[in-house]
Amino acid sequence: MPRAAHPKFRVAAVQAAPVFLDLDGTIDKTIDLMADAAAQGVKLIAFPETWLPGYPWWIWLDSPAWGMQFVQRYNDNSLVVGSPDFDRLRDAARKHKIWLSTGYSEKAGGSLYIAQMLIDDQGNTVQTRRKLKPTHVERTVFGEGDGSDLTVCETAIGNIGSLCCWEHLQPLSKYAMYAQNEQIHCGAWPSFSLYRGGAYALGAEVNNAASQVYAAEGQCFVIAPCATVSPAMSDLLCTDAGKKQMLLTGGGFARIYGPDGSPMGTNLPEDQEGLVIAEIELGMISLAKAAGDPSGHYSRPDVTRLLLNKTRREAVVFERTAERESGAFEVAAPVAPSPAVAAESTSPGARVPLAA
């Protein structure tokens, strides 16, 4: 008899357009899709990058001055963690007894971040994370995450990790996730509608391949939701023929891959909204790991190793010191460098001693 029971359940990757720049409307649509998935027996549903309130496509279409017309609206419709809007999603997960992974534009103070959340089927917040480094012109809108955002969460249904878009092209970030025994990966993408025919690296072929390689390389299940660009979004953003050619409607290429890289589920036409659904069984992972575990038996840490600094970065750190006794001398104690500073002070060619 087997010694362990391996979870087996249905997962869904969303392919749809948000109610663009409308947080309330997109939350309504999110909850409807969660209900639809739950009715089909889905246990975990994953939504695209910055699904709430949509990806800021204007940054790729024209000058920053032209794009300023969207800035205030985007800020107003970005999601604050712990807000009543956030709680609506938690309540929906609890009501429909479904795990929720979704991308969103996070508003924290005066800044925005490309973020993802993981909510369990009891409505508990398992994780919120930020994209480590926004890509190219995304840096005109969003701030950065830190090493604490490269975390795989141990949950009742498996070890779940999340990354956004071109984080899947960052070899060190991927390896950090693999090394945490990731079993289910939620890889969120926007839409593969941009610069088609002019920038192959932004298209579905390359980026679906990145998701597929992630599955085979990390020997995990990959749920890769992908948004679409709706005609209404095109009408708002593409104000001339040139912009219409730069950003096409459709672009939905949601996918699910098994731990050997095999495609799972039934794919949808790129302009069709819906769910790609597949049944996964975590026991399959051991078969893939037997061939090559990149952070285990198939690694060579004596030759190459990764340094991961998971310290949460804070802009301001408040310290309170005890008051000096009257007449006492105040002596400054030596301060040891942080792990990050110590790592930066090591020259690229220096040898780092192996741990005992």
Side-chain angles (χ1 to χ4, degrees), residues 288-312:
K289 291 286 187 186
D293 182 357
S295 61
H297 67 82
Y298 202 44
S299 66
R300 280 295 301 275
D302 57 319
V303 179
T304 57
R305 289 188 298 165
L306 173 66
L307 173 64
L308 174 60
N309 179 7
K310 297 187 75 170
T311 305
R312 183 169 293 280

Side-chain angles (χ1 to χ4, degrees), residues 177-200:
M177 302 293 282
Y178 301 158
Q180 297 174 67
N181 194 28
E182 188 177 27
Q183 297 173 307
I184 303 167
H185 178 75
C186 299
W189 298 87
S191 169
F192 303 136
S193 302
L194 190 68
Y195 301 169
R196 192 173 296 179
Y200 191 79

Side-chain angles (χ1 to χ4, degrees), residues 127-148:
Q127 182 188 36
T128 59
R129 70 169 301 269
R130 294 170 179 172
K131 189 174 184 177
L132 210 63
K133 187 79 171 181
T135 304
H136 196 41
V137 289
E138 289 175 355
R139 295 196 283 274
T140 65
V141 178
F142 301 106
E144 299 178 341
D146 57 44
S148 68

Side-chain angles (χ1 to χ4, degrees), residues 133-261:
K133 187 79 171 181
T135 304
H136 196 41
V137 289
E138 289 175 355
R139 295 196 283 274
T140 65
V141 178
F142 301 106
E144 299 178 341
D146 57 44
S148 68
D149 296 307
L150 294 178
T151 296
V152 174
C153 302
E154 295 184 8
T155 79
I157 61 172
N159 300 338
I160 303 176
S162 304
L163 293 176
C164 280
C165 199
W166 267 20
E167 288 188 300
H168 296 90
L169 273 64
Q170 291 279 9
L172 299 183
S173 295
K174 293 196 298 177
Y175 194 73
M177 302 293 282
Y178 301 158
Q180 297 174 67
N181 194 28
E182 188 177 27
Q183 297 173 307
I184 303 167
H185 178 75
C186 299
W189 298 87
S191 169
F192 303 136
S193 302
L194 190 68
Y195 301 169
R196 192 173 296 179
Y200 191 79
L202 300 180
E205 296 83 0
V206 167
N207 295 292
N208 280 338
S211 292
Q212 189 172 27
V213 167
Y214 193 103
E217 197 172 60
Q219 292 98 38
C220 60
F221 290 95
V222 171
I223 309 168
C226 184
T228 63
V229 174
S230 67
M233 292 169 61
S234 178
D235 290 343
L236 176 67
L237 296 166
C238 301
T239 53
D240 56 58
K243 291 184 177 64
K244 288 183 183 297
Q245 187 169 349
M246 286 191 281
L247 182 67
L248 304 179
T249 57
F253 290 87
R255 297 289 186 268
I256 299 174
Y257 298 103
D260 59 351

